[in-house]
Amino acid sequence: KYRRGQPFTPTAAELQAFAGRYHSDELMAVFEMTPGKNGLMGQANERPGPPFEFKPVDRDTFQFAGLILRFVRDKAGKVAGLEYSNPLLRNVKFTRLHDR
């Protein structure tokens, strides 16, 4: 079922809530997310080069080109993971790693 995205302009504090490292057992990959000026900066597997800038498109949902990140919250409302989609994959689960 399609639901139109609602405009979402996160505050700096809201962006900080998404910051951290996320791991997928399925893809054997790690995303590192940090707050950016207008969204989230994301880098996969410590690849060289600048991170991708993911723009907010809905509450808890960010997009860069065809890549979509939907953050998942636990019962307390804290960000616990994310679901990654691209034109070939849908809803691959990533779990938030605990802070070191």
Side-chain angles (χ1 to χ4, degrees):
K1 184 175 180 183
Y2 177 78
R3 181 184 66 80
R4 182 179 298 277
Q6 301 298 311
F8 176 59
T9 305
T11 65
E14 288 172 321
L15 288 174
Q16 187 61 44
F18 299 109
R21 293 171 54 85
Y22 299 83
H23 178 264
S24 167
D25 287 333
E26 185 177 351
L27 296 181
M28 296 302 297
V30 174
F31 276 133
E32 176 86 30
M33 305 305 295
T34 57
K37 184 177 180 181
N38 298 312
L40 291 173
M41 305 304 288
Q43 203 155 10
N45 298 324
E46 300 178 359
R47 73 165 185 77
F52 298 124
E53 184 175 14
F54 288 86
K55 300 283 190 175
V57 294
D58 197 10
R59 184 177 191 277
D60 294 345
T61 305
F62 295 79
Q63 182 175 6
F64 169 78
L67 309 179
I68 297 173
L69 304 178
R70 283 192 181 89
F71 289 87
V72 178
R73 296 179 181 267
D74 62 15
K75 291 179 184 178
K78 293 186 178 185
V79 177
L82 65 84
E83 293 179 348
Y84 167 80
S85 296
N86 68 31
L88 300 175
L89 302 170
R90 291 193 64 152
N91 303 326
V92 176
K93 293 181 184 347
F94 280 73
T95 303
R96 189 173 200 165
L97 299 175
H98 296 292
D99 296 332
R100 297 182 207 190

